[in-house]
Amino acid sequence: MNKAGEACVNNRSRMIVQYTICLGAFLSNLSAGMFNIALVDIARTFDSTIPTAQWIVTAYLLVISILLPVMGKLGDMLGRRKIHNIGYFIFMAGALCCAVSPSLNGLISSRILQGIGAAMYQATNMALIISVFPKEQRGKALGLISTFVAAGSMIGPSLGGILIQWFSWRSNFWLLTALSLIAWMFAQRFIPKDKPEGSESRLDVPGAALFAISLTGLVTAVNLGAQWGWSSWQVAVLFILFGVGSASFIGWCLSSRWERQGKGRLPFMKLDLFRDAGISVGIIITIISYMAAFSAQLVLPVFLLSELGIEPATAGLIMMGYPLSLIIFSPLSGNLSDKLGTFPLLSAGLLVMTTALLVLGFVSPAYPIFFLILLIVLLGGSMGLITPPNNSLVMSRTSKSDLGLISSILALSRNLGMMFGTAAGGAMLALPGQAAGGLTGFRMIFVLNTVLVVIVYLTMIISFRLARHKETLSS
């Protein structure tokens, strides 16, 4: 076979691998959308309350967030393909257990099992794509993950509603079982075997435990703060747990004991990684951009329903402008970032997001509906412009032995951004007078996000200029 033929075969194989890996991102977001809409039926089935049934979603998200860095580290040590594919299988087993669960407690336990599987494949997906695609194609390949994320988010609620209406909420889990079985079979067949990068090292269990404890405090407080009350003693204890756990984790990782240990003894996380400005800024961009986007997605439907009196179905169609725009712009941005570099696309995305958020900060019922739709589309497009080059920037500045860990940190940053955005949006909507038709909460959330995005944008510019200055001096 000639070289052109070999290249064609290689590209075809890479595309199959890419879609197989991206299917995990689709499954996770499809699952989340399906069960937000199924909570009422699930609560009715088990004669329970909605807040109790909400643990089906909360427990799943908590487990994913806490385990992401652990699974990323295990992927580096044991092989990313192995962790990724086992994750598909565990997710499938969890979905099957959910489908036949006889009680609410059993359903929540099965969702925890699903969360373990989801953490395994989410933590390693970007690292696997980096290992399969050459440098000049990585931005486009990483951009497809965002497309699948948006597609899952868009399809989940409507598909879940159809299945519930025609069959029952259990049919959602049967569908997930079938899809994850197909994904696992494709992953076993097409994802190439990789060599563990840290096969000689051992997992730092105390470090992993301290990280999990601190993250549990933060994630639980953010998830349940609105339900328990942000000023409640429970939330205060959780934030204290986060602070003490974080300080202990940092002290553990920076301890001089690691210099005295022999080969194969490394802390759970090498904090030196975050001295790289590209990695640190990229992670901050991920958290803030997802926070801005998700808080907007929370408050805009409320504005459409309460202030404009739009029907729920119409409001849902209007909000679909966000994922549709994201689906279109993500692969385009990834492809362009491979050719132009990450900085131009990141700058454009952050500027578009700043503009959309700033204009939404003056939101009022006098806004023409087509103008609101345009702003929603611009917000989705800005996320599509930001995410692929940002992921490419972070992953390209990471050593091969730490790709799994950084891939998981990026996934964790997305989850944290979503949770912060949901918490901030909920807090603003709960402001006094908001329920009576006031617009203070709506405007404040957009002003807050605008300020945060501007700060991130300026930080990015400064860090890029300092990096260029250092390169000039070294040359």
Side-chain angles (χ1 to χ4, degrees), residues 287-302 319 322 357 360 379 417-429 441-442 444-450 452:
I287 294 173
I288 297 302
S289 61
Y290 273 83
M291 175 182 171
F294 268 74
S295 58
Q297 288 182 81
L298 176 67
V299 302
L300 281 171
V302 177
M319 291 306 300
Y322 176 90
L357 292 171
L360 285 167
L379 195 61
M418 295 176 196
M419 286 185 286
F420 291 154
T422 302
M428 294 301 177
L429 289 178
F442 293 117
M444 283 185 67
I445 191 62
F446 290 117
V447 170
L448 171 65
N449 286 325
T450 301
L452 290 175

Side-chain angles (χ1 to χ4, degrees), residues 109-184:
S109 299
S110 300
R111 283 289 278 172
I112 289 173
L113 183 63
Q114 264 196 302
I116 294 171
M120 294 175 81
Y121 63 72
Q122 285 185 34
T124 49
N125 56 8
M126 282 192 287
L128 279 173
I129 283 180
I130 289 292
S131 66
V132 170
F133 283 83
K135 188 175 181 179
E136 63 273 11
Q137 297 179 16
R138 288 175 183 172
K140 183 179 180 180
L142 290 171
L144 195 64
I145 293 180
S146 300
T147 300
F148 274 71
V149 167
S153 301
M154 183 174 65
I155 295 171
S158 56
L159 180 58
I162 290 170
L163 289 174
I164 291 169
Q165 184 172 336
W166 287 358
F167 303 102
S168 75
W169 60 264
R170 294 184 188 273
S171 60
N172 287 297
F173 288 109
W174 285 115
L175 176 62
L176 283 179
T177 302
L179 290 175
S180 49
L181 174 61
I182 293 169
W184 175 74

Side-chain angles (χ1 to χ4, degrees), residues 165-320:
Q165 184 172 336
W166 287 358
F167 303 102
S168 75
W169 60 264
R170 294 184 188 273
S171 60
N172 287 297
F173 288 109
W174 285 115
L175 176 62
L176 283 179
T177 302
L179 290 175
S180 49
L181 174 61
I182 293 169
W184 175 74
M185 293 172 65
F186 270 76
Q188 289 290 98
R189 171 67 179 85
F190 293 109
I191 297 179
K193 293 183 179 180
D194 60 332
K195 183 180 178 182
E197 298 293 337
S199 56
E200 296 180 359
S201 63
R202 288 176 286 173
L203 180 65
D204 170 24
V205 176
L210 286 172
F211 187 87
I213 289 169
S214 62
L215 196 61
T216 299
L218 176 64
V219 172
T220 308
V222 172
N223 264 283
L224 300 175
Q227 182 178 329
W228 291 345
W230 292 104
S231 58
S232 66
W233 67 266
Q234 296 99 322
V235 172
V237 168
L238 288 170
F239 278 122
I240 291 171
L241 179 66
F242 166 65
V244 173
S246 298
S248 301
F249 174 73
I250 293 170
W252 175 264
C253 290
L254 296 178
S255 171
S256 59
R257 70 189 303 274
W258 301 108
E259 298 176 4
R260 301 191 298 267
Q261 298 289 334
K263 186 178 181 182
R265 297 296 297 164
L266 294 171
F268 175 70
M269 193 178 295
K270 292 182 287 185
L271 299 182
D272 286 349
L273 287 170
F274 302 101
R275 290 181 179 176
D276 185 293
I279 293 176
S280 298
V281 171
I283 289 170
I284 295 171
I285 288 174
T286 302
I287 294 173
I288 297 302
S289 61
Y290 273 83
M291 175 182 171
F294 268 74
S295 58
Q297 288 182 81
L298 176 67
V299 302
L300 281 171
V302 177
F303 176 79
L304 293 172
L305 295 169
S306 64
E307 299 296 328
L308 300 185
I310 291 175
E311 294 294 323
T314 305
L317 287 173
I318 290 171
M319 291 306 300
M320 281 183 67

Side-chain angles (χ1 to χ4, degrees), residues 19-191:
Y19 281 98
T20 300
I21 294 171
C22 288
L23 187 55
F26 175 79
L27 283 172
S28 293
N29 288 272
L30 180 75
S31 172
M34 279 179 163
F35 300 112
N36 283 333
I37 201 169
L39 287 178
V40 174
D41 290 78
I42 292 172
R44 188 182 298 122
T45 297
F46 295 115
D47 193 23
S48 179
T49 62
I50 295 293
T52 303
Q54 179 68 34
W55 276 99
I56 296 165
V57 177
T58 303
Y60 175 76
L61 294 175
L62 282 172
V63 169
I64 291 176
S65 299
I66 292 165
L67 290 183
L68 274 170
V70 176
M71 295 306 176
K73 187 71 174 180
L74 287 176
D76 290 332
M77 293 170 57
L78 305 177
R80 292 157 198 145
R81 177 186 183 272
K82 179 185 292 185
I83 297 298
H84 178 274
N85 292 5
I86 291 174
Y88 272 166
F89 190 85
I90 292 177
F91 185 87
M92 176 191 67
L96 180 60
C97 291
C98 287
V100 299
S101 181
S103 67
L104 184 59
N105 287 337
L107 182 57
I108 293 172
S109 299
S110 300
R111 283 289 278 172
I112 289 173
L113 183 63
Q114 264 196 302
I116 294 171
M120 294 175 81
Y121 63 72
Q122 285 185 34
T124 49
N125 56 8
M126 282 192 287
L128 279 173
I129 283 180
I130 289 292
S131 66
V132 170
F133 283 83
K135 188 175 181 179
E136 63 273 11
Q137 297 179 16
R138 288 175 183 172
K140 183 179 180 180
L142 290 171
L144 195 64
I145 293 180
S146 300
T147 300
F148 274 71
V149 167
S153 301
M154 183 174 65
I155 295 171
S158 56
L159 180 58
I162 290 170
L163 289 174
I164 291 169
Q165 184 172 336
W166 287 358
F167 303 102
S168 75
W169 60 264
R170 294 184 188 273
S171 60
N172 287 297
F173 288 109
W174 285 115
L175 176 62
L176 283 179
T177 302
L179 290 175
S180 49
L181 174 61
I182 293 169
W184 175 74
M185 293 172 65
F186 270 76
Q188 289 290 98
R189 171 67 179 85
F190 293 109
I191 297 179

Side-chain angles (χ1 to χ4, degrees), residues 373-385:
I373 294 172
L374 175 62
L375 292 173
I376 291 168
V377 169
L378 283 176
L379 195 61
S382 68
M383 281 298 291
L385 288 171

